[in-house]
Amino acid sequence: MAARILANLIIAGGGVIIRAASQAYQQAIVNAKKTGVDNAGAAFRQAQMTAAEAKQILDVEKNATLEEVRKKFKHLFEVNEQHGSFYLQSKVYRAKERLDQEFQEMGIDTSEPEEPAPGQQQSADTSKSA
């Protein structure tokens, strides 16, 4: 008999706690919507790097050419790959991406020129000398 009463008290107490937690959570959501907290995360996720920030990261002039950007990117990316941090390397990569987007908007083709593989280059050289 005592075990049954104890079990009923535990079940009833658990139900009260679950309802209270549920109501508190719902109230927290309502309060967050009123203060605009729920939109802050979305605004942060949508933030993009500006072209000026990208140029500052790659340390190029305001009117830098695509070749200058590629040269700086390659240097900074390789240095950070060997001795730097993944965070800095990713910032350098995102900066190049942003500037590529700027060049594309200006109508400049930003696709990387294809370099022949070492084996292909040798076979082409041997065919010329034959």
Side-chain angles (χ1 to χ4, degrees):
M1 179 80 169
R4 180 179 281 172
I5 292 173
L6 185 58
N8 283 339
L9 283 174
I10 291 173
I11 291 172
V16 169
I17 290 173
I18 289 174
R19 278 193 300 274
S22 174
Q23 288 176 352
Y25 181 72
Q26 288 174 350
Q27 188 61 44
I29 291 173
V30 169
N31 291 342
K33 286 182 181 178
K34 286 181 183 176
T35 59
V37 172
D38 62 336
N39 294 332
F44 180 73
R45 284 189 299 271
Q46 292 176 356
Q48 262 194 350
M49 182 182 294
T50 64
E53 184 182 5
K55 289 174 183 175
Q56 187 177 16
I57 289 170
L58 291 177
D59 192 30
V60 293
E61 297 295 321
K62 186 177 183 179
N63 55 353
T65 65
L66 180 61
E67 292 306 315
E68 292 171 335
V69 169
R70 283 183 177 162
K71 185 177 177 183
K72 280 286 195 170
F73 164 75
K74 185 177 180 181
H75 171 72
L76 291 172
F77 192 83
E78 288 174 355
V79 167
N80 279 300
E81 188 174 37
Q82 295 171 2
H83 307 293
S85 70
F86 179 73
Y87 173 76
L88 292 175
Q89 191 178 18
S90 66
K91 287 295 260 187
V92 168
Y93 183 81
R94 295 295 172 219
K96 181 189 176 289
E97 258 185 352
R98 179 63 175 101
L99 292 179
D100 279 349
Q101 181 182 1
E102 285 290 309
F103 285 121
Q104 286 173 351
E105 289 173 3
M106 292 176 5
I108 299 172
D109 182 26
T110 59
S111 58
E112 295 285 331
E114 292 186 28
E115 296 179 13
Q120 292 175 345
Q121 192 174 27
Q122 290 174 349
S123 65
D125 292 341
T126 56
S127 65
K128 287 181 184 177
S129 61

